[in-house]
Amino acid sequence: MRKKIIAGNWKMNMTPSKAAAFLNENKAACESDTADVVFCVPAVDIIPAVEAVKGTGIEIGAENLYFQDKGAYTGEIAADMLVDAGVKYVIIGHSERREYFAETDETVNKKVLKAFEYGLTPIICCGETLTQREQGITIDWVRMQIKIAFLNVTAEQAKKAVIAYEPIWAIGTGVVATTEQAEEVCTAIRKCIGEIYDAETADAIRIQYGGSVSAASAPELFAQPDIDGGLVGGASLKPDFAKIVHYDEQ
Ligand code: PGA
C-alpha cells in the first residue's frame, strides 16, 4: 500500500517571516498520520521553514536545485546546500521552470540524478499543454518526459521517486482536470514506469496529481487507485491546505 503524499508548492510567494508565521499557525492542523506532508518553499524560506516544523511530521522541500555540485554558477543552489539546510524533497522540472527558465527533459534528468546522489527525494513534474491534449498526444508526451527524466535512474532510486502529473492547462487556472482525465494519465505513467523497470517499481512509485487542487476536488482525485496525493500550488498558501491533507476525513 503506497502512502499518500500531499505537497504544497509555494512558488514565488511568502517572505521568510511570513513563511515561519504561516507554518507556526497551521502546522498542527497540517500534520497527518496517514500521509506524508511536505511544503516546498522558496530558497530563502527554507531555513525558517525547517525550524518552524521541527518536532512535527511535516517535511520541507525546495522548488529547484542545480545539477552541478558547486562552483561558478551564480544564483544557483546545490544539492548539498539543500541537504545541510534540512530539506528532504525537491521539485524538479515544474512546467513554470520549463517555460520561463528553459529547463528541458535533459536538465530535468541531470537534476533527478543529482537529487538521488544526495539522498533528496525528487518530485518530478510532467504534463501536457492544452494543444497537446486537444491533439490527443497527452500520453505520448508524458511518456516521453518520464522516459527521459528516468534515464540512468536505478530501480531502487525510482521506487523512492515522486512523480507529479500536472496538466499545464490546469495549473493556476481554477480548471481542475476531471477525475477520469487525471487517473487515466497517472495510470499510463505507472505503466510506463513498469515498462522501464518492473511491476514492483511501478507499484512502489508515488504519482501525484497537480493543477488547481482544492479542498473540494481533493477527496475524489486522491481516492483514485493510481493517484497517490497531490502537488498543490495556490491552496497551499492558505489554511485550507489542512483540509486537503485531511481529504479523507471531510
Ligand atoms: P495550482 O498549482 O494548485 O495553483 O494550480 C499547482 C502547481 O503548479 O504545482
Side-chain angles (χ1 to χ4, degrees):
M1 192 56 188
R2 291 181 296 272
K3 192 174 185 189
K4 300 277 184 198
I5 173 161
I6 323 277
N9 172 14
W10 279 0
K11 311 191 180 186
M12 198 172 75
N13 295 291
M14 294 270 197
T15 60
S17 52
K18 283 187 182 149
F22 178 89
L23 291 169
N24 282 320
E25 268 165 43
N26 293 284
K27 62 187 175 185
C30 289
E31 279 207 88
S32 168
D33 295 331
T34 51
D36 287 332
V37 179
V38 185
F39 283 93
C40 297
V41 306
V44 291
D45 295 355
I46 288 171
I47 289 175
V50 168
E51 185 60 33
V53 300
K54 223 172 239 166
T56 74
I58 299 168
E59 298 287 4
I60 298 301
E63 299 178 11
N64 186 26
L65 89 174
Y66 196 49
F67 55 74
Q68 298 288 357
D69 287 313
K70 62 177 172 142
Y73 303 102
T74 302
E76 291 297 317
I77 297 179
D80 70 344
M81 298 174 189
L82 297 180
V83 171
D84 193 60
V87 162
K88 294 283 157 45
Y89 293 84
V90 56
I91 298 174
I92 295 179
H94 190 281
S95 61
E96 288 151 15
R97 295 220 52 91
R98 295 177 191 253
E99 182 178 353
Y100 307 129
F101 303 100
E103 294 212 5
T104 64
D105 291 322
E106 286 72 21
T107 60
V108 167
N109 174 241
K110 288 185 188 175
K111 291 180 176 196
V112 169
L113 292 168
K114 192 53 68 181
F116 278 124
E117 189 183 324
Y118 284 83
L120 292 163
T121 299
I123 299 176
I124 305 161
C125 300
C126 62
E128 81 288 1
T129 62
L130 190 56
T131 308
Q132 289 163 338
R133 176 158 285 274
E134 286 170 351
Q135 288 300 318
I137 58 169
T138 295
I139 289 178
D140 293 336
W141 178 260
V142 169
R143 279 173 59 88
M144 183 197 70
Q145 290 182 313
I146 293 297
K147 286 198 172 183
I148 300 176
F150 282 83
L151 267 175
N152 299 319
V153 173
T154 68
E156 284 322 299
Q157 290 171 330
K159 282 185 185 123
K160 296 191 204 110
V162 177
I163 295 172
Y165 165 57
E166 299 203 303
I168 295 169
W169 48 271
I171 296 177
T173 58
V175 183
V176 64
T178 66
T179 307
E180 293 72 28
Q181 287 171 328
E183 172 67 3
E184 182 195 17
V185 182
C186 290
T187 303
I189 292 170
R190 198 176 301 288
K191 185 163 168 273
C192 182
I193 293 293
E195 287 167 21
I196 303 170
Y197 301 100
D198 48 36
E200 200 190 322
T201 309
D203 194 48
I205 199 164
R206 294 189 288 178
I207 305 174
Q208 300 174 312
Y209 166 79
S212 299
V213 172
S214 65
S217 59
E220 198 179 304
L221 284 163
F222 299 174
Q224 300 309 303
D226 281 311
I227 301 180
D228 305 314
L231 185 57
V232 183
S236 70
L237 295 160
K238 302 184 196 125
D240 241 29
F241 187 64
K243 291 193 195 140
I244 298 177
V245 168
H246 298 288
Y247 69 95
D248 51 349
E249 296 165 26
Q250 288 185 31

